[in-house]
């Protein structure tokens, strides 16, 4: 096994690496004179090293005529790699006979007649002599027939193990039992064969070369839970797969996977980070020469594997394995993680249940998935049998059937991770209706900090659903838990560095490799803990502030230097001035922006914690929703928004003194009135302070926004597409439609129809009509709500021609008793007819739903 040996010799001398891999090769036993004369030494440390042995030096075993014919033959040995071992592969080669060879042979014949060194066992000597003589005979026959390669061809074939069945040591058969001694020089039996231990076995079946290549422009995966509700979208872009191998695994095999882009969008309502996972836009690679260099995006993931030919030991040998990940931005909220974990657990349970059903069912069509409510069946995908059905495809040596791997080189490149974590907000009543009770409970539990790490909840992250604080001690404990939870689990752009992995000449098993990689990245994660703590928003993200200051100082030094070099090249001093200006401006932007960002995090943390102290959950939820619409404008917008926040804080504090006791009395009588009065008095003091803190946050965000605008627009990754629409009360899943998704997003933002289920929409040019399960919403071309009409109020729908306009138009009149509704103007009759059909369909479905609800509510 190749390794890094270390051995201490005598007198403290360290034996060099190459001395540990020296071997002696010879054509005869070492305890004979011929063995000593033809012995040579070669090292196995460097690939491609070669040695040549002359069979003409075997003077005590072969006769003179045979030695003379062997002057043009050499036995070539080349150091090669056979996976986890170094091998010395031999091959016969033909050499031109020079005058020096003939003269040297004559001198040895005339003057060199040394005494023999006889082996101890006479039988061993006889067997060795016979083998050498037979090999000499076959070598001479091959030379006469022109089957011996030249020196250059022999080196190439030996190093790459590229031998045809007739190249080396064929199974030679002779015409008679014994060849005349005068013809060759020695007598051999007719059916003797010689095999080379250094040459691969000649294949008995034809070889096949398999090549696979796939290139996908991109594909998208939508994750829909059991409610159903879409929680995430995963997009892969520029996916390329390449593989090539041969059936007998006698040649190198290659496999490569390249993923250009990966993005995961968070589609949970009120997500603080719409894009959960995406590559870092700053991680680019340079393409082209220095004079014409371009910055292009690196692939998200590049995996390259090169397998050596199948090794006799059964170990899967990889010449190289390279994993090149791109720097990532991960921004998630804990509700998204909990819902995604819930989705995966439900998916696992669903697959296990389906497989158990397939195993229990006895049907001729094979494994089936069946759904009784859909009355449909379709085959369960079986991928493994597809590979087994291929005609004798054997991928042995590529990992199949072995647990050990040899890596001549394994490299995982380093990567950087930017991590942002935020708690989620509680869902509104309309959002909870669409997302389901379980999803709403998860959001509420995460907002309160009721998390369980490997505790009562399933999976790694669990939530405590339905917990209520009834006593004063529970209220105080829950309040401080919420504050602590928000302080420790809210970080912004924490940069984590993960070093790479480099292994050379390493033999390992799957479990050992996974344990090593896990320990490596756990250690890296532990080393990144100071960066995580320093990026917490509760401390103002001091690590981010230091990073911004460092970038500003770096630009302050580097930009003038770049300008100076450019001035020397162009002989123009203006570039120096530009460099100084750029460096100074970058330092000022990073310094002011960093301090403003840090200050805004501190004030925002103060506001969140103060909102918990009010003990007014409704106020905290409304405040969370108002923060979603916070605009990242400039300094002026920040001043305006801050003034509004101050006034609102005072108004909320004063009105809360009146509203809270009334609300408490309606719920719990005198006890509720007392609790409400206490909450109102606390809010009278705390809510104006929250308004002042929110105003300071908006001002700081405005300062940062003004600086970023001055530096240019910052590249921002947007969501791939709007959230999927689920149609009707049944929330049916259909083929994704972008126009329907946009119309549903607009409907969800309206006050009256936010809790309705989407049905359809129609574009009338100047107007857009959205139809839900309970009402229709008429929008102007700018997206402003013009009117909202419930189906229950409509008695009749009529289509009438409009004669007051120059162009022929049609009017859809909605007859509503004791009410005046503006008619809907359509540009053509077909649009009016289609809208009329959709409205009548909505009215029928609404009437059916109300009738079913009435029947359910009636007592038996």
């Amino acid at each position: 096994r190749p390794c890094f040996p270390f051995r201490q010799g005598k007198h403290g001398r360290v034996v060099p690496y190459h001395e540990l891999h020296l071997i002696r090769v010879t054509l005869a036993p070492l305890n004979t004179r011929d063995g000593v004369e033809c012995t040579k030494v070669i090292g196995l440390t460097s690939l491609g090293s070669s040695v040549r042995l002359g069979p003409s030096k075997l003077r005590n075993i072969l006769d003179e005529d045979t030695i003379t014919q062997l002057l043009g033959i050499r036995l070539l040995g080349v150091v090669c790699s056979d996976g986890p071992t170094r091998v010395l592969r031999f091959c016969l080669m033909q050499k031109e006979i020079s005058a020096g060879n003939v003269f040297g042979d004559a001198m040895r014949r005339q003057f060199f007649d040394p005494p023999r060194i006889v082996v101890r066992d006479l039988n061993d000597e006889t067997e060795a002599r016979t083998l050498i003589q037979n090999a000499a005979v076959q070598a001479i026959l091959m030379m006469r027939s022109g089957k011996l390669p030249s020196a250059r061809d022999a080196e190439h074939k030996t190093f790459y193990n590229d031998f045809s069945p007739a190249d080396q040591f064929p199974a030679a058969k002779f015409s008679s039992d014994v060849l005349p001694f005068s013809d060759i020089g020695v007598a051999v039996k007719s059916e003797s064969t010689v095999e080379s231990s250094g040459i691969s076995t000649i294949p008995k079946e034809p070889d096949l070369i398999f090549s696979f290549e796939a290139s996908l422009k991109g594909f998208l995966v939508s994750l829909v839970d059991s409610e159903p509700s879409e929680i995430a979208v995963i997009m892969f872009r520029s996916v390329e797969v390449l593989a090539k191998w041969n059936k007998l695994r006698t040649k190198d095999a290659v496999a490569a996977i390249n993923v250009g882009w990966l993005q995961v969008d968070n589609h949970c309502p009120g997500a603080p980070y719409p894009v959960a996972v995406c590559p870092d836009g700053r991680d680019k690679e340079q393409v082209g020469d220095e004079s014409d260099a371009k910055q292009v995006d690196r692939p998200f993931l590049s995996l390259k594997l090169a397998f050596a030919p199948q090794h006799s030991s059964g170990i899967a040998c990889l010449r190289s394995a390279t994993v090149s990940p791109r720097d990532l931005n991960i921004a998630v909220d804990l509700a998204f993680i909990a819902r995604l974990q819930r989705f995966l657990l439900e998916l696992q349970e669903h697959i296990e249940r389906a497989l158990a059903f397939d195993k229990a069912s006895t049907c001729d069509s094979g494994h089936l998935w069946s759904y009784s409510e859909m009355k449909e069946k379709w085959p369960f995908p079986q991928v493994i049998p597809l590979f087994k059905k291929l005609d004798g495809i054997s991928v042995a040596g590529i990992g199949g059937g072995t647990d050990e791997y040899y890596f001549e080189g394994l490299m995982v490149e380093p990567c950087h991770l930017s991590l942002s974590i935020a708690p989620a907000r509680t869902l509104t009543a309309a959002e909870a209706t669409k997302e389901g009770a379980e999803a709403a409970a998860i959001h509420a539990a995460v907002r309160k900090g009721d998390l369980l790490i490997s505790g009562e909840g399933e999976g790694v992250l669990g939530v405590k659903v339905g917990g209520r604080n009834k006593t004063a001690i529970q209220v105080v404990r829950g309040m401080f838990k919420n504050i602590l939870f928000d302080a420790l689990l809210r970080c912004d752009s924490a940069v984590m560095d993960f070093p790479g992995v480099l292994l050379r000449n390493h033999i390992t098993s799957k479990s050992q490799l996974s344990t090593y990689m896990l320990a490596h990245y756990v250690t890296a994660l532990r080393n990144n803990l100071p960066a995580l703590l320093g990026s917490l928003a509760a401390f103002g993200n001091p690590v981010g502030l230091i990073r911004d200051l460092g970038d500003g100082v770096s630009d302050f030094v580097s930009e003038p230097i770049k300008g100076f070099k450019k001035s020397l090249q162009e002989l123009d001093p203006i570039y120096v001035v530009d460099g100084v200006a750029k460096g100074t401006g970058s330092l000022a932007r990073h310094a002011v922006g960093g301090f403003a960002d840090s200050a805004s995090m501190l004030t925002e943390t103060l506001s969140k914690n103060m909102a918990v102290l009010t003990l007014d959950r409704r106020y905290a939820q409304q405040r969370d929703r108002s923060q979603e619409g916070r605009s990242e404008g400039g300094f002026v917008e920040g001043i305006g928004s801050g003034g509004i926040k101050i006034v609102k804080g005072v108004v909320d504090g004063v009105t809360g003194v009146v509203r809270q006791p009334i609300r408490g009395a309606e719920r719990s009588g005198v006890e509720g009135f007392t609790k409400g009065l206490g909450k109102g008095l606390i809010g009278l003091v705390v809510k104006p302070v929250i308004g002042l803190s929110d105003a300071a946050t908006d001002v700081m965000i405005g300062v940062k926004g003004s600086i970023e605008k001055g530096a240019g627009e910052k590249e921002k990754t947007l969501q791939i597409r709007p959230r999927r629409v689920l149609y009707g009360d049944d929330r049916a899943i259909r083929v994704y439609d972008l126009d329907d998704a946009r119309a549903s997003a607009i409907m969800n933002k309206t006050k009256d129809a936010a809790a309705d289920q989407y049905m359809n929409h129609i574009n009338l040019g100047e107007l857009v009509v959205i139809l839900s399960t309970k009402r229709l919403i008429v929008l102007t071309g700018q997206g402003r709500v013009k009117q909202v009409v419930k189906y229950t109020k409509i008695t009749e729908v009529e289509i009438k021609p409009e004669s007051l306009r120059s162009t022929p138009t049609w009017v859809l009149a909605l007859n509503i008793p004791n009410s005046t509704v503006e008619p809907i103007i359509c540009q053509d009759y077909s649009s009016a007819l289609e809208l009329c059909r959709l409205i009548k369909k909505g009215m029928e479905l609404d009437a059916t739903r109300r009738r079913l609800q009435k029947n359910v509510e009636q007592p038996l």
Side-chain angles (χ1 to χ4, degrees):
R1 294 183 178 183
C3 55
F4 297 96
F6 176 83
R7 186 177 69 185
Q8 188 170 354
K10 295 182 179 180
H11 310 292
R13 186 179 73 89
V14 177
V15 179
Y17 176 77
H18 65 277
E19 291 187 13
L20 297 177
H21 293 78
L22 295 177
I23 61 172
R24 291 181 295 174
V25 291
T26 182
L27 296 175
L30 287 174
N31 52 5
T32 63
R33 183 66 185 181
D34 286 345
V36 174
E37 290 297 326
C38 66
T39 297
K40 288 190 177 182
V41 179
I42 187 174
L44 294 177
T45 56
S46 59
L47 294 176
S49 300
S50 62
V51 63
R52 297 184 182 184
L53 303 178
S56 60
K57 293 183 179 181
L58 303 175
R59 310 194 63 85
N60 292 317
I61 299 177
L62 304 177
D63 60 90
E64 297 298 332
D65 293 337
T66 304
I67 291 174
T68 302
Q69 297 180 67
L70 291 175
L71 288 176
I73 298 177
R74 293 289 186 274
L75 188 64
L76 175 67
V78 181
V79 178
C80 308
S81 174
D82 190 19
T85 56
R86 291 283 192 269
V87 296
L88 186 60
R89 192 173 292 139
F90 289 95
C91 171
L92 286 176
M93 56 169 283
Q94 187 171 356
K95 177 183 178 299
E96 294 184 1
I97 302 176
S98 61
N101 297 134
V102 178
F103 180 75
D105 181 66
M107 294 295 293
R108 283 192 295 272
R109 185 182 305 178
Q110 184 68 26
F111 300 104
F112 187 71
D113 189 16
R116 289 186 57 209
I117 302 177
V118 185
V119 295
R120 298 179 180 178
D121 192 347
L122 187 60
N123 294 330
D124 292 343
E125 181 186 11
T126 303
E127 182 180 358
R129 177 185 292 271
T130 302
L131 290 174
I132 294 174
Q133 290 175 350
N134 291 341
V137 170
Q138 294 200 32
I140 294 173
L141 289 176
M142 293 176 65
M143 181 182 66
R144 290 180 177 179
S145 61
K147 294 181 179 180
L148 294 184
S150 62
R152 184 174 180 179
D153 294 340
E155 289 183 359
H156 182 273
K157 290 185 176 183
T158 305
F159 187 79
Y160 292 102
N161 198 17
D162 185 17
F163 295 99
S164 62
D167 275 345
Q168 296 286 312
F169 304 112
K173 293 188 177 181
F174 303 96
S175 57
S176 58
D177 290 341
V178 178
L179 291 175
F181 184 80
S182 59
D183 186 22
I184 300 297
V186 293
V188 294
K189 293 186 178 180
S190 59
E191 296 185 357
S192 62
T193 60
V194 178
E195 295 182 357
S196 170
S197 60
I199 307 298
S200 299
T201 305
I202 298 174
K204 297 181 180 179
E205 56 179 329
D207 197 5
L208 296 175
I209 297 178
F210 299 94
S211 179
F212 172 80
E213 184 174 356
S215 180
L216 303 176
K217 186 177 181 180
F219 59 93
L220 186 141
V221 180
S222 175
L223 305 184
V224 181
D225 60 11
S226 57
E227 185 56 32
S229 179
E230 186 179 62
I231 59 176
V233 169
I234 307 174
M235 185 191 68
F236 296 88
R237 198 163 62 201
S238 301
V239 180
E240 298 177 355
V241 181
L242 174 66
K244 187 176 182 181
W245 72 97
N246 68 317
K247 180 180 178 181
L248 299 180
R249 291 292 293 113
T250 56
K251 298 181 180 180
D252 287 357
V254 295
I257 300 175
N258 192 83
V259 181
W261 185 270
L262 170 68
Q263 182 173 332
V264 180
D265 288 349
N266 182 357
H267 282 291
C268 295
Y273 303 110
V275 179
V277 179
C278 69
D280 192 347
R282 297 170 297 180
D283 187 11
K284 299 180 181 294
E285 61 182 357
Q286 183 172 326
V287 177
D289 300 332
E290 294 183 359
S291 59
D292 190 21
K294 295 181 180 180
Q295 296 290 332
V296 298
D297 291 334
R298 289 181 54 199
F300 164 73
L301 178 65
S302 179
L303 175 63
K304 300 176 182 178
L305 303 175
F307 294 88
Q310 181 180 355
H311 195 260
S312 59
S313 63
I315 300 176
C317 305
L318 287 88
R319 298 194 185 277
S320 65
T322 305
V323 181
S324 303
R326 183 177 172 180
D327 295 347
L328 275 182
N329 289 332
I330 298 180
V332 294
D333 61 274
L334 298 181
F336 173 71
I337 297 176
R339 293 187 64 178
L340 186 61
Q341 176 184 265
R342 171 172 164 261
F343 168 81
L344 296 177
L345 291 174
E346 289 180 349
L347 180 63
Q348 179 184 1
E349 181 183 358
H350 185 73
I351 293 177
E352 290 176 354
R353 186 169 60 251
L355 292 178
F357 174 80
D358 291 341
K359 188 176 181 181
S361 62
T362 55
C363 48
D364 299 333
S365 57
H367 295 281
L368 293 177
W369 281 22
S370 64
Y371 295 84
S372 57
E373 63 270 17
M374 297 179 63
K375 307 298 182 183
E376 293 183 2
K377 294 183 177 181
W378 61 90
F380 178 72
Q382 299 289 336
V383 180
I384 298 178
L386 296 178
F387 293 95
K388 292 183 178 179
K389 290 180 181 179
L390 295 178
D391 185 19
I393 296 180
S394 174
V395 291
I398 306 185
T402 180
D403 191 48
E404 285 192 314
Y405 296 87
Y406 164 76
F407 294 95
E408 188 172 340
L410 170 63
M411 182 177 65
V412 181
E413 294 185 0
C415 65
H416 305 284
L417 189 69
S418 177
L419 180 63
S420 299
I421 302 178
R425 67 165 177 83
T426 307
L427 299 181
T428 63
E431 293 170 344
T433 302
K434 294 184 177 181
E435 299 299 315
E438 292 186 14
I442 289 175
H443 280 260
V446 170
R447 183 65 183 87
K448 292 190 298 183
D450 291 337
L451 293 180
L452 301 171
I453 306 300
S454 297
E456 299 177 8
E458 289 182 305
V460 178
L461 179 65
V463 293
K464 184 179 179 182
V465 176
R468 298 184 65 87
N469 300 323
K470 298 181 179 180
T471 64
I473 297 178
Q474 291 178 348
V475 171
V476 175
R477 184 177 61 184
M479 182 175 58
F480 281 101
K481 180 178 62 176
N482 196 341
I483 294 174
L484 183 65
F485 167 75
D486 183 81
L488 295 181
L489 292 181
R490 191 162 57 92
C491 65
D492 183 69
S493 301
V495 178
M496 306 169 64
D497 298 327
F498 291 93
V501 177
L502 181 61
L503 298 176
R504 293 288 186 185
N505 299 324
H506 188 74
I507 291 184
T508 183
S509 62
K510 293 180 181 178
S511 59
Q512 291 174 345
L513 183 61
S514 60
T515 302
Y516 173 81
M517 299 298 289
L518 180 61
H520 172 79
Y521 286 107
V522 168
T523 303
L525 185 61
R526 190 189 311 123
N527 296 334
N528 284 299
L529 284 179
L532 284 175
L533 295 176
S535 299
L536 294 179
F539 303 144
N541 192 7
V543 173
L545 174 60
I546 295 173
R547 184 169 59 248
D548 288 339
L549 292 177
D551 293 341
V553 173
S554 177
D555 292 342
F556 182 74
V557 176
S558 61
E559 290 297 336
I561 295 177
K562 292 179 182 179
F564 179 73
K565 291 181 179 180
K566 187 71 174 178
S567 296
L568 293 179
Q569 294 176 356
E570 303 293 337
L571 298 179
D572 190 352
I574 193 63
Y575 293 105
V576 177
V577 179
D578 292 341
V580 173
K582 289 181 180 179
T584 306
S586 177
L587 177 60
R589 285 194 304 270
H590 282 91
V592 177
F595 280 109
D597 189 26
S598 182
S600 65
M601 290 184 183
L602 290 174
T603 54
E604 185 177 3
T605 302
L606 176 63
S607 299
K608 285 181 175 290
N609 296 336
M610 295 289 286
V612 175
L613 295 178
T614 61
L615 301 178
D616 189 351
R617 185 174 300 175
R618 180 177 298 182
Y619 169 77
Q621 294 175 1
Q622 291 177 354
R623 183 187 170 278
D624 289 343
R625 287 192 290 270
S626 66
Q627 300 302 316
E628 294 179 10
R630 174 184 286 167
S631 61
E632 297 182 358
F635 178 72
V636 177
E637 290 83 354
I639 291 292
S641 176
I644 296 174
K645 293 290 178 66
I646 293 176
V647 175
K648 189 175 184 303
V650 175
V651 172
D652 289 340
V654 174
T655 56
V657 178
V658 179
R659 290 180 180 177
Q660 291 293 339
I662 296 175
R663 191 179 300 164
E666 292 176 351
R667 292 181 178 179
S668 305
V670 178
E671 182 182 357
F673 178 82
T674 306
K675 292 181 179 179
L677 182 60
K679 291 181 180 180
L681 293 176
I682 294 175
L684 181 62
V685 178
V686 175
K687 289 179 182 179
V689 178
I690 295 176
L692 184 62
S693 178
D694 285 340
T697 303
D698 289 350
V699 171
M700 292 299 145
I701 291 177
V703 171
K704 182 182 177 182
S706 298
I707 293 174
E708 290 180 352
K709 286 182 180 179
E713 290 293 332
K714 187 177 180 180
E715 184 178 357
K716 187 177 181 180
T717 304
L718 303 177
Q719 282 192 338
I720 304 166
R721 59 163 177 78
R723 196 181 192 192
R724 174 182 293 275
V725 181
L726 300 170
Y727 297 84
D729 291 327
D730 296 334
R731 297 182 65 80
I733 300 177
R734 301 178 186 172
V735 177
Y736 184 84
D737 187 273
L738 182 59
D739 293 335
D740 284 346
R742 290 172 176 171
S744 176
I746 295 174
M747 185 192 75
N748 292 334
K749 294 179 180 180
T750 60
K751 182 179 180 180
D752 298 325
D756 295 354
Q757 302 295 342
Y758 178 85
M759 284 183 53
N760 210 327
H761 83 283
I762 185 168
N763 190 354
L764 303 176
E766 297 180 358
L767 300 176
V768 176
V769 180
I770 301 176
L771 298 101
S772 70
T773 54
K774 296 182 179 180
R775 53 180 62 84
L776 62 89
I777 305 102
V778 181
L779 305 177
T780 63
Q782 292 76 25
R784 184 176 56 85
V785 177
K786 186 175 182 181
Q787 61 182 355
V788 178
V789 182
K790 289 185 177 181
Y791 295 137
T792 55
K793 296 182 179 180
I794 302 175
T795 58
E796 188 179 359
V797 182
E798 296 179 347
I799 301 177
K800 300 178 181 179
E802 174 63 43
S803 59
L804 299 179
R805 298 197 177 195
S806 57
T807 58
T809 56
W810 298 83
V811 174
L812 193 69
L814 305 176
N815 296 329
I816 299 177
N818 302 324
S819 179
T820 303
V821 179
E822 293 185 17
I824 302 174
I825 300 176
C826 304
Q827 300 295 332
D828 52 68
Y829 181 74
S830 60
S831 299
L833 191 64
E834 177 66 15
L835 179 58
C836 181
R837 184 187 68 82
L838 292 176
I839 293 176
K840 289 182 178 180
K841 181 180 178 181
M843 293 170 59
E844 293 176 359
L845 293 176
D846 183 59
T848 303
R849 185 185 66 257
R850 287 187 290 106
R851 185 169 56 252
L852 292 175
Q853 290 178 353
K854 184 177 181 181
N855 294 334
V856 172
E857 293 174 357
Q858 287 180 353
L860 296 177

